[in-house]
Amino acid sequence: MTAQSASRRVVTNIALSLDGRYARPDNPLDMGWVMPYAVTDVARDHLTSLWQTATTALLGRVNAEGFLGFWPTVIGAEGADPRDEGFAKWLVDTDKVVLSTTLDDAPWERTTLVDKPTAEAVADLKTTEGGDILVLSSASVIKALLAADMVDRLALTVFPVFLGGGPRLFDDGLPEGRWKLMSQSAGDHGTLALVYDRVR
């Protein structure tokens, strides 16, 4: 096995509206548009398939604060879906890398703060041992990795809503490239889960 084939896979996961946005134009932190669809079987099974092969979670600071503030509360919560609880336990127990220029100390266990460009941080991670490096919904991190052509697996959940504005995931000027559809599933509520692998 060559060093290249043995290197860790970079997997990015994010939810998009049907018009290609990942956040509302007026309030980027309002994820109310996601919630009706994030709790569908398709979305939950999609996320489960991604974290089960990952040994590192990579997040930007804002997403880290949101994810790590909420998900640990799911563990042991009455009526929690086992898939949600499984993800929450994985997130707490796995190694986490948070990209931040402002935090001095990580308020979360098993967390390393990194203050360097995204592509550089991920290049460093890829030289270490482990499973997939899973980027969890951190749009700024995913955009930087797409621009650097460092995404090996692109996982998307597409929800059947138009946000009518707001930031797009795919900016003009991305490197040309082909992607192979590895899996697709559709749910009762119109949620699509799509997984593409980069063809190199």
Side-chain angles (χ1 to χ4, degrees):
M1 187 178 277
T2 66
Q4 179 65 29
S5 64
S7 69
R8 305 176 67 184
R9 189 168 57 173
V10 177
V11 180
T12 63
N13 183 52
I14 197 165
L16 295 178
S17 65
L18 198 55
D19 58 345
R21 319 288 181 165
Y22 60 82
R24 289 189 185 279
D26 49 346
N27 183 2
L29 298 180
D30 173 15
M31 297 306 287
W33 64 277
V34 166
M35 294 319 296
Y37 309 102
V39 296
T40 59
D41 285 336
V42 163
R44 282 173 161 147
D45 290 344
H46 172 77
L47 183 57
T48 300
S49 73
L50 298 174
W51 66 255
Q52 285 182 332
T53 55
T55 57
T56 303
L58 178 62
L59 302 118
R61 179 189 60 81
V62 173
N63 266 60
E65 289 171 345
F67 269 67
L68 297 168
F70 168 73
W71 281 102
T73 67
V74 172
I75 300 170
E78 187 176 343
D81 186 283
R83 292 164 294 188
D84 292 346
E85 203 164 3
F87 172 69
K89 288 176 179 174
W90 172 83
L91 187 61
V92 168
D93 293 340
T94 201
D95 292 328
K96 292 167 284 291
V97 175
V98 175
L99 299 172
S100 174
T101 58
T102 56
L103 289 177
D104 293 321
D105 296 302
W108 315 287
E109 292 182 6
R110 298 186 65 99
T111 302
T112 303
L113 297 177
V114 175
D115 180 5
K116 59 172 62 172
T118 299
E120 197 177 318
V122 170
D124 290 347
L125 276 175
K126 283 182 70 101
T127 66
T128 62
E129 294 289 321
D132 290 344
I133 301 160
L134 178 57
V135 186
L136 291 165
S137 302
S138 295
S140 61
V141 176
I142 296 172
K143 286 162 80 95
L145 292 173
L146 287 169
D149 197 13
M150 293 181 73
V151 176
D152 301 305
R153 171 161 283 187
L154 178 66
L156 305 169
T157 42
V158 181
F159 300 144
V161 292
F162 276 17
L163 294 183
R168 293 183 180 277
L169 181 65
F170 302 112
D171 294 327
D172 286 347
L174 289 175
E176 282 191 28
R178 291 191 308 115
W179 297 80
K180 180 180 180 182
L181 182 64
M182 303 304 292
S183 69
Q184 57 183 318
S185 52
D188 295 339
H189 298 280
T191 298
L192 286 178
L194 305 167
V195 176
Y196 294 91
D197 277 0
R198 179 75 168 92
V199 177
R200 300 195 187 278

